[in-house]
Short mmCIF file of all heavy atoms in Angstrom, two decimals:
data_model
loop_
_atom_site.label_atom_id
_atom_site.label_comp_id
_atom_site.label_asym_id
_atom_site.label_seq_id
_atom_site.Cartn_x
_atom_site.Cartn_y
_atom_site.Cartn_z
N HIS C 1717 13.16 22.00 22.74
CA HIS C 1717 12.66 22.93 23.70
C HIS C 1717 12.97 24.46 23.30
O HIS C 1717 12.66 25.35 23.92
CB HIS C 1717 13.33 22.72 24.96
CG HIS C 1717 14.76 22.61 24.97
ND1 HIS C 1717 15.55 21.52 24.74
CD2 HIS C 1717 15.77 23.62 25.22
CE1 HIS C 1717 16.77 21.73 24.66
NE2 HIS C 1717 16.98 23.02 25.01
N ASP C 1718 13.71 24.59 22.28
CA ASP C 1718 14.13 25.76 21.70
C ASP C 1718 12.97 26.44 20.82
O ASP C 1718 12.51 25.82 19.83
CB ASP C 1718 15.44 25.81 20.95
CG ASP C 1718 15.84 27.15 20.46
OD1 ASP C 1718 16.36 28.02 21.37
OD2 ASP C 1718 15.62 27.51 19.35
N TYR C 1719 12.56 27.66 21.24
CA TYR C 1719 11.46 28.30 20.48
C TYR C 1719 11.63 28.52 18.89
O TYR C 1719 10.92 28.04 18.07
CB TYR C 1719 11.15 29.67 21.22
CG TYR C 1719 10.02 30.35 20.48
CD1 TYR C 1719 8.70 30.02 20.68
CD2 TYR C 1719 10.25 31.47 19.82
CE1 TYR C 1719 7.64 30.73 20.08
CE2 TYR C 1719 9.31 32.34 19.20
CZ TYR C 1719 7.91 31.91 19.35
OH TYR C 1719 6.89 32.63 18.83
N GLU C 1720 12.81 29.02 18.73
CA GLU C 1720 13.08 29.36 17.31
C GLU C 1720 13.29 28.01 16.43
O GLU C 1720 12.79 27.96 15.28
CB GLU C 1720 14.25 30.29 17.06
CG GLU C 1720 14.13 31.78 17.47
CD GLU C 1720 12.92 32.33 16.74
OE1 GLU C 1720 12.55 31.93 15.59
OE2 GLU C 1720 12.23 33.21 17.35
N LEU C 1721 13.94 27.11 17.05
CA LEU C 1721 14.18 25.75 16.26
C LEU C 1721 12.81 25.14 16.10
O LEU C 1721 12.56 24.64 14.89
CB LEU C 1721 15.09 24.91 17.09
CG LEU C 1721 15.30 23.56 16.52
CD1 LEU C 1721 15.95 23.71 15.12
CD2 LEU C 1721 16.20 22.74 17.50
N LEU C 1722 11.89 25.17 16.91
CA LEU C 1722 10.59 24.51 16.83
C LEU C 1722 9.83 25.25 15.65
O LEU C 1722 9.16 24.71 14.83
CB LEU C 1722 9.84 24.63 18.24
CG LEU C 1722 8.46 23.77 18.09
CD1 LEU C 1722 8.79 22.33 17.69
CD2 LEU C 1722 7.71 23.77 19.45
N ARG C 1723 9.82 26.51 15.68
CA ARG C 1723 9.17 27.35 14.70
C ARG C 1723 9.68 26.93 13.30
O ARG C 1723 9.03 26.77 12.39
CB ARG C 1723 9.29 28.84 14.89
CG ARG C 1723 8.40 29.53 16.00
CD ARG C 1723 8.64 30.97 16.00
NE ARG C 1723 8.16 31.66 14.84
CZ ARG C 1723 8.58 32.85 14.50
NH1 ARG C 1723 9.49 33.53 15.15
NH2 ARG C 1723 8.05 33.40 13.46
N GLN C 1724 11.03 26.86 13.16
CA GLN C 1724 11.78 26.54 11.98
C GLN C 1724 11.19 25.15 11.53
O GLN C 1724 10.83 24.89 10.30
CB GLN C 1724 13.23 26.65 12.19
CG GLN C 1724 13.97 26.17 10.83
CD GLN C 1724 15.40 25.89 11.27
OE1 GLN C 1724 15.92 26.63 12.23
NE2 GLN C 1724 16.04 24.93 10.66
N LYS C 1725 11.05 24.25 12.49
CA LYS C 1725 10.73 22.84 12.03
C LYS C 1725 9.31 22.76 11.63
O LYS C 1725 8.90 22.05 10.68
CB LYS C 1725 10.93 21.83 13.27
CG LYS C 1725 12.35 21.63 13.57
CD LYS C 1725 13.00 20.57 12.58
CE LYS C 1725 14.39 20.33 12.86
NZ LYS C 1725 14.97 19.39 11.81
N ILE C 1726 8.44 23.49 12.36
CA ILE C 1726 7.03 23.62 11.89
C ILE C 1726 6.97 24.06 10.48
O ILE C 1726 6.19 23.54 9.62
CB ILE C 1726 6.27 24.44 12.82
CG1 ILE C 1726 6.01 23.85 14.20
CG2 ILE C 1726 4.83 24.95 12.18
CD1 ILE C 1726 5.46 24.77 15.32
N ARG C 1727 7.68 25.02 10.19
CA ARG C 1727 7.75 25.62 8.62
C ARG C 1727 8.16 24.49 7.80
O ARG C 1727 7.69 24.21 6.81
CB ARG C 1727 8.57 26.85 8.62
CG ARG C 1727 7.89 28.05 8.99
CD ARG C 1727 8.57 29.44 8.49
NE ARG C 1727 9.99 29.40 9.06
CZ ARG C 1727 10.34 29.97 10.20
NH1 ARG C 1727 9.57 30.51 11.00
NH2 ARG C 1727 11.66 29.88 10.59
N GLU C 1728 9.45 23.89 8.24
CA GLU C 1728 10.04 22.88 7.30
C GLU C 1728 9.10 21.72 6.94
O GLU C 1728 9.09 21.10 5.88
CB GLU C 1728 11.37 22.35 7.89
CG GLU C 1728 12.46 23.17 7.72
CD GLU C 1728 13.70 22.57 8.52
OE1 GLU C 1728 13.68 21.36 8.78
OE2 GLU C 1728 14.61 23.36 8.73
N PHE C 1729 8.17 21.48 7.90
CA PHE C 1729 7.28 20.30 7.76
C PHE C 1729 5.99 20.77 7.03
O PHE C 1729 5.01 19.93 6.91
CB PHE C 1729 6.89 19.49 9.07
CG PHE C 1729 7.99 18.52 9.44
CD1 PHE C 1729 9.29 19.03 10.01
CD2 PHE C 1729 7.77 17.19 9.38
CE1 PHE C 1729 10.24 18.06 10.35
CE2 PHE C 1729 8.79 16.29 9.74
CZ PHE C 1729 10.06 16.67 10.26
N GLY C 1730 5.98 21.96 6.61
CA GLY C 1730 4.68 22.43 5.92
C GLY C 1730 3.52 22.56 6.80
O GLY C 1730 2.44 22.55 6.32
N LEU C 1731 3.73 22.72 8.05
CA LEU C 1731 2.58 22.97 9.05
C LEU C 1731 2.28 24.54 9.27
O LEU C 1731 3.29 25.31 9.03
CB LEU C 1731 2.98 22.21 10.34
CG LEU C 1731 3.26 20.86 10.23
CD1 LEU C 1731 3.84 20.27 11.61
CD2 LEU C 1731 1.97 20.00 9.76
N LYS C 1732 1.25 24.80 9.70
CA LYS C 1732 0.85 26.13 9.99
C LYS C 1732 1.08 26.51 11.34
O LYS C 1732 0.74 25.92 12.34
CB LYS C 1732 -0.67 26.28 9.66
CG LYS C 1732 -0.96 26.35 8.21
CD LYS C 1732 -2.38 26.65 7.87
CE LYS C 1732 -3.27 25.42 7.97
NZ LYS C 1732 -4.61 25.65 7.70
N GLU C 1733 1.99 27.62 11.55
CA GLU C 1733 2.41 28.12 12.85
C GLU C 1733 1.25 28.52 13.78
O GLU C 1733 1.28 28.12 14.92
CB GLU C 1733 3.43 29.24 12.69
CG GLU C 1733 4.19 29.61 13.84
CD GLU C 1733 5.13 30.66 13.80
OE1 GLU C 1733 5.87 30.71 12.55
OE2 GLU C 1733 5.23 31.52 14.53
N GLU C 1734 0.33 29.03 13.15
CA GLU C 1734 -0.95 29.46 13.82
C GLU C 1734 -1.71 28.31 14.71
O GLU C 1734 -2.36 28.44 15.53
CB GLU C 1734 -2.03 30.36 13.09
CG GLU C 1734 -2.56 29.71 11.89
CD GLU C 1734 -1.73 29.97 10.58
OE1 GLU C 1734 -0.40 30.19 10.69
OE2 GLU C 1734 -2.24 30.17 9.54
N ASP C 1735 -1.62 27.13 13.95
CA ASP C 1735 -2.18 25.82 14.57
C ASP C 1735 -1.46 25.49 15.87
O ASP C 1735 -1.96 24.57 16.64
CB ASP C 1735 -2.17 24.72 13.60
CG ASP C 1735 -3.13 24.96 12.47
OD1 ASP C 1735 -4.02 25.71 12.67
OD2 ASP C 1735 -3.00 24.17 11.49
N TYR C 1736 -0.18 25.93 16.13
CA TYR C 1736 0.63 25.49 17.34
C TYR C 1736 0.84 26.62 18.18
O TYR C 1736 1.93 26.48 18.93
CB TYR C 1736 1.84 24.77 16.64
CG TYR C 1736 1.55 23.55 15.83
CD1 TYR C 1736 1.35 23.60 14.43
CD2 TYR C 1736 1.32 22.26 16.49
CE1 TYR C 1736 0.97 22.44 13.74
CE2 TYR C 1736 1.09 21.16 15.79
CZ TYR C 1736 0.86 21.29 14.45
OH TYR C 1736 0.48 20.15 13.81
N GLN C 1737 0.11 27.51 18.29
CA GLN C 1737 0.44 28.75 19.08
C GLN C 1737 0.67 28.27 20.65
O GLN C 1737 1.58 28.57 21.23
CB GLN C 1737 -0.65 29.84 19.08
CG GLN C 1737 -0.56 30.62 17.88
CD GLN C 1737 0.86 31.15 17.52
OE1 GLN C 1737 1.45 31.71 18.59
NE2 GLN C 1737 1.30 31.04 16.47
N TRP C 1738 -0.29 27.53 21.10
CA TRP C 1738 -0.10 27.19 22.60
C TRP C 1738 0.99 26.25 22.84
O TRP C 1738 1.74 26.19 23.81
CB TRP C 1738 -1.48 26.66 23.03
CG TRP C 1738 -1.93 25.21 22.67
CD1 TRP C 1738 -2.83 25.05 21.76
CD2 TRP C 1738 -1.37 23.91 23.12
NE1 TRP C 1738 -2.99 23.56 21.60
CE2 TRP C 1738 -2.19 22.99 22.36
CE3 TRP C 1738 -0.53 23.56 24.04
CZ2 TRP C 1738 -1.96 21.57 22.62
CZ3 TRP C 1738 -0.29 22.22 24.13
CH2 TRP C 1738 -0.96 21.25 23.44
N TYR C 1739 1.31 25.46 21.74
CA TYR C 1739 2.37 24.48 21.85
C TYR C 1739 3.75 25.18 21.79
O TYR C 1739 4.62 24.95 22.66
CB TYR C 1739 2.27 23.42 20.67
CG TYR C 1739 3.31 22.36 20.73
CD1 TYR C 1739 3.27 21.47 21.71
CD2 TYR C 1739 4.22 22.16 19.82
CE1 TYR C 1739 4.19 20.31 21.77
CE2 TYR C 1739 5.13 21.14 19.80
CZ TYR C 1739 5.13 20.22 20.75
OH TYR C 1739 5.91 19.14 20.91
N LEU C 1740 3.73 26.29 20.94
CA LEU C 1740 5.02 27.08 20.93
C LEU C 1740 5.16 27.89 22.28
O LEU C 1740 6.25 28.11 22.77
CB LEU C 1740 4.84 28.05 19.79
CG LEU C 1740 5.25 27.45 18.48
CD1 LEU C 1740 4.77 28.23 17.28
CD2 LEU C 1740 6.72 27.32 18.26
N ASP C 1741 3.99 28.23 22.97
CA ASP C 1741 4.01 29.01 24.23
C ASP C 1741 4.86 28.15 25.22
O ASP C 1741 5.51 28.88 26.10
CB ASP C 1741 2.58 29.10 24.79
CG ASP C 1741 2.02 30.44 24.23
OD1 ASP C 1741 2.64 31.11 23.49
OD2 ASP C 1741 0.82 30.80 24.58
N LEU C 1742 4.76 26.86 25.21
CA LEU C 1742 5.52 26.02 26.06
C LEU C 1742 6.98 26.43 26.06
O LEU C 1742 7.76 26.08 26.93
CB LEU C 1742 5.18 24.59 25.91
CG LEU C 1742 3.82 24.14 25.89
CD1 LEU C 1742 3.70 22.60 25.59
CD2 LEU C 1742 3.20 24.46 27.21
N ARG C 1743 7.51 26.82 24.83
CA ARG C 1743 8.77 27.15 24.70
C ARG C 1743 9.09 28.67 24.93
O ARG C 1743 10.41 29.06 24.89
CB ARG C 1743 9.31 26.83 23.25
CG ARG C 1743 9.60 25.36 22.91
CD ARG C 1743 8.25 24.44 22.93
NE ARG C 1743 8.65 23.05 22.62
CZ ARG C 1743 7.77 21.97 22.76
NH1 ARG C 1743 6.59 22.39 23.06
NH2 ARG C 1743 8.06 20.84 22.50
N ARG C 1744 8.02 29.48 25.16
CA ARG C 1744 8.29 30.77 25.37
C ARG C 1744 8.31 31.06 26.87
O ARG C 1744 8.87 32.12 27.42
CB ARG C 1744 7.13 31.61 24.83
CG ARG C 1744 7.26 31.56 23.33
CD ARG C 1744 6.01 32.42 22.70
NE ARG C 1744 6.03 33.83 23.03
CZ ARG C 1744 5.02 34.67 23.08
NH1 ARG C 1744 3.82 34.08 22.79
NH2 ARG C 1744 5.22 35.84 23.38
N TYR C 1745 7.68 30.21 27.72
CA TYR C 1745 7.61 30.37 29.19
C TYR C 1745 8.23 29.29 29.93
O TYR C 1745 7.60 28.39 30.18
CB TYR C 1745 6.06 30.55 29.42
CG TYR C 1745 5.44 31.57 28.66
CD1 TYR C 1745 4.47 31.28 27.76
CD2 TYR C 1745 5.79 32.96 28.87
CE1 TYR C 1745 3.76 32.25 26.98
CE2 TYR C 1745 5.03 34.04 28.16
CZ TYR C 1745 4.06 33.54 27.16
OH TYR C 1745 3.56 34.53 26.35
#
Side-chain angles (χ1 to χ4, degrees):
Chain C
H1717 58 271
D1718 182 80
Y1719 178 71
E1720 285 306 329
L1721 179 58
L1722 186 60
R1723 280 183 70 201
Q1724 181 196 323
K1725 287 285 179 181
I1726 287 173
R1727 282 197 301 274
E1728 278 176 22
F1729 276 75
L1731 304 171
K1732 284 185 276 182
E1733 199 176 314
E1734 55 266 36
D1735 288 345
Y1736 294 91
Q1737 280 312 311
W1738 70 259
Y1739 188 62
L1740 281 162
D1741 270 359
L1742 305 177
R1743 280 75 181 170
R1744 293 176 66 203
Y1745 306 110

